[in-house]
Amino acid sequence: MSDIRLEGVSKRYGAVAAADEVDLAVAQGEFVTILGPSGSGKTTLLSLIAGLNRPTVGRIFIGGRDVTDAPAQQRNIGLVFQSYALFPHMTVLENVLFPLGVRKIGGAAARTQALDALKLVRLDGLQDRRPSQLSGGQQQRVALARAIVFKPDILLLDEPLGALDRKLREELQVELKQLQRSLGVTTLLVTHDQEEALSLSDRIMVLDKGRTQQVAAPADAYLRPANRFVAEFLGIANFVGLADGRTGLVRPERVRVAAANINGGRPARVVETIYLGQMVRYHLSLVGEAVPLVAALPFVGKAFAAGDEVAVSWDTADIWPVA
């Protein structure tokens, strides 16, 4: 297994910088997610690390080796795409064997290696089926097995769960994290799904317009965002004025909502109540202020209704100043 290091990496297309002076260090065995909106440069960075493209400036190191100018086949990287990219005319086993054949590994040893990879992704017994006979989740598992069968130094995942429905995506998120932990392989995931990034990653790299906004552990990025962009991109952000004139952030789940006759709190009115199963989300209007407020609380059998007068409050420790 290997670490990854980017030093001042930029990729320009004319006047447009798809990646702009990006520095990043990913430790051996670490799971890092590159997160950002469409067009932020996520896939560009992944393609540069994979060797599918070359940076305009900057250097890329894998395992301490400068691979900036090395072709993709010399980087020992496993790559999984959102589209799966399986060969439809091949069986599951043949698909997983394919990268071994490219590396001149064949015979009984290759078959054993491929079957072991399929067992890791819980597809043992399905090796003779073709991709069209599998569900979307099973096809994604085949793509994962094909990416890990040759024991890559690095695993790169480009929106691998984006085409799946929510329930299946959440199931595979758990499996993917368990698989990555068991293999100990250094992993970079590209996604625009904030929940996916928060739940899977050791650290998150937030990009916007090709530039790094923050690299931090999920909890730190969520509760202590580096700037307003990160605060708004990672979930719902409530912005409140601070006594010193700055702007602070308080997350919806840190906001308390009580009946209006309860002592303490700031008066507010419920604009909308949204039932989310285990949670209820309140959209609130603070009395005398134009700034809207959102609170997310556990649902305990009864909720305030639209139009109700309430009192809202939060702890000073839950406010984080943002620029």
Side-chain angles (χ1 to χ4, degrees):
M1 306 306 169
S2 300
D3 62 340
I4 306 169
R5 192 168 80 253
L6 307 183
E7 295 183 352
V9 170
S10 296
K11 180 63 180 178
R12 295 187 175 276
Y13 297 94
V16 178
D20 195 358
E21 299 183 3
V22 175
D23 295 311
L24 177 66
V26 182
Q28 180 174 315
E30 191 176 18
F31 194 128
V32 172
T33 295
I34 304 175
L35 179 68
S38 298
S40 61
K42 305 185 301 295
T43 298
T44 295
L45 275 186
L46 210 68
S47 68
L48 293 172
I49 295 168
L52 304 177
N53 214 334
R54 292 187 180 183
T56 306
V57 296
R59 311 305 296 175
I60 300 172
F61 299 86
I62 295 179
R65 182 170 67 98
D66 189 337
V67 298
T68 308
D69 300 314
Q73 62 269 25
Q74 293 181 10
R75 301 192 185 195
N76 196 34
I77 285 175
L79 184 57
V80 179
F81 299 97
Q82 179 178 343
S83 62
Y84 315 143
L86 302 177
F87 298 113
H89 61 287
M90 292 183 179
T91 65
V92 166
L93 181 60
E94 289 168 341
N95 267 282
V96 179
L97 283 168
F98 182 80
L100 296 177
V102 171
R103 290 163 175 79
K104 311 301 182 186
I105 303 171
R111 181 180 174 85
T112 298
Q113 210 165 317
L115 290 174
D116 286 345
L118 286 172
K119 188 174 183 179
L120 275 174
V121 298
R122 300 197 300 119
L123 285 180
D124 41 323
L126 301 181
Q127 62 267 19
D128 295 325
R129 294 190 183 182
R130 296 191 185 277
S132 60
Q133 297 173 298
L134 302 176
S135 67
Q138 289 171 330
Q139 290 182 51
Q140 189 56 277
R141 289 190 180 99
V142 176
L144 274 170
R146 188 178 57 185
I148 64 174
V149 67
F150 55 91
K151 297 178 174 60
D153 293 322
I154 305 292
L155 183 60
L156 304 180
L157 308 170
D158 189 3
E159 302 270 10
L161 310 180
L164 305 177
D165 64 67
R166 183 180 180 87
K167 184 174 184 296
L168 182 56
R169 187 166 66 246
E170 290 176 350
E171 291 176 1
L172 285 184
Q173 284 173 7
V174 175
E175 292 182 18
L176 178 59
K177 182 60 179 176
Q178 292 174 336
L179 177 65
Q180 188 271 339
R181 187 184 296 118
S182 68
L183 295 173
V185 62
T186 308
T187 301
L188 269 178
L189 167 71
V190 158
T191 184
H192 64 274
D193 187 314
Q194 296 93 330
E195 289 185 10
E196 188 168 285
L198 291 169
S199 63
L200 285 174
S201 315
D202 296 316
R203 286 188 300 151
I204 294 172
M205 178 187 197
V206 183
L207 286 181
D208 182 42
K209 299 176 183 177
R211 296 190 68 88
T212 304
Q213 302 300 310
Q214 187 170 9
V215 181
D220 288 336
Y222 183 74
L223 295 173
R224 299 173 177 84
N227 53 44
R228 192 179 182 106
F229 174 83
V230 177
E232 292 182 312
F233 191 75
L234 286 178
I236 299 173
N238 293 311
F239 295 102
V240 295
L242 303 180
D244 59 6
R246 293 183 299 167
T247 299
L249 156 75
V250 59
R251 291 296 186 183
E253 61 274 12
R254 305 289 182 170
V255 178
R256 294 186 292 267
V257 181
N261 57 358
I262 299 295
N263 292 332
R266 301 174 64 176
R269 179 179 292 104
V270 178
V271 176
E272 192 62 67
T273 299
I274 301 174
Y275 174 67
L276 299 171
Q278 294 180 328
M279 302 289 293
V280 59
R281 182 186 299 155
Y282 295 111
H283 290 257
L284 304 157
S285 174
L286 289 172
V287 174
E289 295 190 24
V291 179
L293 194 71
V294 177
L297 303 172
F299 181 68
V300 292
K302 185 178 181 180
F304 294 107
D308 283 354
E309 302 292 336
V310 295
V312 299
S313 60
W314 51 82
D315 293 333
T316 303
D318 291 330
I319 299 177
W320 181 254
V322 290

